[in-house]
Amino acid sequence: MTAELVRGQNHTLPQTRLEIRVSAGTPVVAGATLGDERGTVHGIEWIAHPGSPQLPGLEVSKQAAADHRLAVDLDAVPAAVHRVTVLLALPMEAGGPVRFGAVAAPFVAVTGLEGTEIATFTLTGLDAESAVAALEIYRRQGDWKVRAVGQGYAGGLAAMLADQGVTGAAELARSIHEAVARGMARSVAPPPPRTPEGDRVRHTAAIGDPAPPVAPSAGPAPTPPTPATVPTTDSTAGGPTAGPSAGPTGPINYAHPRRQATAPPPPPPTAPSAEPGRPAQPVAGDATGWSMEGRLYNQVWGMFEDLARTTAAYRSAVDFAESRMDQELDRALSDPRSRIGGAGDRARHEARAKRDQLTDRAREALDRDLAQLAAESAVVEPALPAAFAAWDNPVWHAYRVPMEIPMALRIGDLHLPEKPELHIPLLVRLPLERGIWVDSGRTASEAAALTDTDRLRRLAMDNAVAHAARLLAVYPAGEFSVHVIDAAGSAATALAPLVNSGVLAGPPAAGAGGVASVLARLTRRVDLVQMAIRAGAADSLPPDLDTAEQLLIVNDFPHGFDDRAVTQLRYLADEGPSVGVHLLMVADREDASAYGPVLDPLWRSLLRITPVADDHLADPWVGHAWTYEPLRTPADSRVLEQVLAQVAAARRTGRRL
C-alpha cells in the first residue's frame, strides 16, 4: 500500500534498490547529495547533479525536465553515507518561472524497480522558493527510511547547498546552472548493444549505432518509457511511450520490457542490397516476434529507439563541438596580448572551423540514419494492421470486426525537431493500463497559440471520439462498452458519430443526476469485480453485470461534478483499469483549479495527450522532448462512420445469436 506522506512524516523502505520519480509542471533540475550521520556533505564529490550525474549507488538526470527518474541502490552507497537528500531547483533560463509558487506543486514518488509506489509526497505550500530539498532517505538502526522534507530556499540552489555544509556552494550552483544552460546534460555515451532476445534484427549497420568518432561523449550513458522515458513522460504506455530503463548504476537498457524472454522466431529475410556496400532495402516485420503483429509492434519500437539514439548522438556531438570550441578559445585568448591583432583572429577562426567540421560530420551521420529510418517508415506504415494504422491507411477501408484483441492501439504519432516529417506511431498496450486525458486547455505549443479556446475544446472532443471509435473497432463485438458524461450537453456535435451509430451503452449523461447515475453504476461494477476476484468467485457475478471492458468519456470536467462525484472519478481512475474500467477525460486543468492539489493524483494517473501538436512528452534520460501529433481522419472522409456502422451491425448480429 502506498504511503502518502505529509511534510515531516517518514516511512520504512522495504527494499534498497529504488527509483525516485519526480513530476513537475515545468522543467526542473534534479540532483541529490550524500550526507554523513549529521547530514553534512563532505565536498562536491558527494553531490550528483546534471554536470556530474553518477555517484556510487546514485544516478540523476543530466538535464532539466518536467519528469525525472533518479536511480538509487542503497547497498552500493559508501558506508559513511547515512543520508541521501533529493534536491529540486528551477533552471535559470530566460522567460522561465523563478519561484515554485508560480507552477504546479511538484510530486515525488519513491518506487521499486518494477514501478510499484512505496511512498509519495506532494510539495505544496511553496511560494518564493526556487530550490527545495524534497525528501531524504536515511539510515535508522540498520534500516533505511524515507522522510518528506519540503524545505524550500528563496536563495535558490546556492542557499540550499550552503545549508548542507557544502564549501563553495555559490560556485557549484552556478556551474550546475551553466551545465544545464549549455546543454551539457544531453551528452550521452554511445548506446550499448541490445540483448539477443530484445534486439531488432539488422542485416546492415544498425540505425542509430554510434556515429563515426566525431565527438566523444561527455559522460556515461544515462539509465524512459517508456519511451520516458518518454517518451516518458508518460512512460507507462507500451510501444514508443515506454522509455528505456536500467539498474541504478548500469548503462541504458533499450530492450523492450514486454518482449519475450525466450527467443521468438526470426523475422523474414531482408531484401538483398542493390549495390555492394549500400544498406539493404527495409522490410516490414524486420524484428523478432511470434506473429506478424508482434514483429511489427517490435519494429515500431525499434524505430523509436533508433530515432532516439541517433538524435542523442547528434546532439551530443554538437554539444561537444561547442564545448571544445569554447575551451580552445579560452586557452588561446587567456593571454591578454593575444586578444588583439592577427593571432587572436586566427585562433577564433581555427576554433570555429573545427567546430563547424565536427558539427557537419555529425549532421552527415544523422542525415544518413534519418534517411534509412524514413525509408523503413515508408515500408512499415502500409503494412500495419488496423489497430496500429493511421486513419488514412487503406486497411481501414477493408475493415472487419476482429475476433480477438490486438496487442496495442495507436493513439497518435511522435516526432523530433531534427526531422519533423518522420513520424513514429505512438502505441499503447491493450487492455489499457491507465486512462487518457485529452487536454483541452491552452498549452505553450505554437499550434495551441494559433488556435482559439473554443476550437481547442472542439478538437479535444473530436479527438476523444476518434479514440473511442478506434477502441470499439479493435475489440471483438460486444467486448467493449462506451459510456459518456456530457453534463452541459456541449459536445452533441462531436458525439454524433457515436450516438447515431448506436454503439454507446446508453445516451450521453447530462446534468448532475446523469453524472451521479453513471458514476454509481461503474463504481458498483469495479467493487463487484474486485470482490469476486479476491474471493475467487468470478462466476458468481450478478447476471445484469456487463463483463465487457468499459470506457467512460467525461467532457468538460468538473462541470456537473460535486465532491462525491469527484471522489468516485478518482476511484475509477485508480482502481478501474485493473478490472476493465477506463477513463477518457476531456478537460482543461485550469477549470478544476479550485480543487487545488486534491486532483493532482487524478491528473498524474492519466496519460496526457493534446488535440494539437505539442512537445510535452519528455524523455529525461536521453534529453528529448517528443512532439505528440494527434491522429486525424482525412478531410471529407466517412471512414469513422463506416467503421462504427460495422461495429454496430456486428453487435446486433451477436445479440440475435
Side-chain angles (χ1 to χ4, degrees), residues 225-239:
T226 249
T229 40
V230 189
T232 198
T233 351
D234 298 299
S235 61
T236 60

Side-chain angles (χ1 to χ4, degrees), residues 194-200 255-256 259-264 288-289 298:
R194 303 181 205 167
T195 58
E197 60 269 23
D199 197 7
R200 185 158 70 112
H256 193 282
R259 293 185 187 170
Q260 299 288 339
T262 56
T288 55
N298 282 336

Side-chain angles (χ1 to χ4, degrees), residues 503-575:
V503 295
L504 293 178
V515 171
S517 175
V518 172
L519 291 176
R521 188 162 61 250
L522 291 177
T523 302
R524 171 179 176 268
R525 183 192 184 281
V526 171
D527 290 339
L528 290 175
V529 174
Q530 283 185 338
M531 286 189 292
I533 291 174
R534 293 191 191 106
D539 55 349
S540 64
L541 291 168
D544 64 333
L545 189 77
D546 184 1
T547 57
E549 296 276 313
Q550 310 287 312
L551 177 72
L552 173 60
I553 302 175
V554 179
N555 182 45
D556 276 349
F557 175 81
H559 186 84
F561 282 71
D562 55 18
D563 290 345
R564 175 179 172 80
V566 169
T567 301
Q568 289 177 314
L569 192 69
R570 284 189 56 185
Y571 176 72
L572 292 179
D574 293 338
E575 304 294 334

Side-chain angles (χ1 to χ4, degrees), residues 77-89:
V77 300
V81 172
H82 287 257
R83 188 175 302 176
V84 179
T85 304
V86 177
L87 315 175
L88 304 178

Side-chain angles (χ1 to χ4, degrees), residues 86-137:
V86 177
L87 315 175
L88 304 178
L90 293 170
M92 297 173 63
E93 57 180 355
V98 296
R99 60 187 185 91
F100 275 109
V103 300
F107 172 78
V108 183
V110 180
T111 76
L113 296 185
E114 74 286 355
T116 303
E117 289 187 346
I118 299 170
T120 64
F121 176 40
T122 302
L123 284 77
T124 57
L126 298 176
D127 186 11
E129 299 88 344
S130 59
V132 60
L135 55 80
E136 63 181 17
I137 298 172

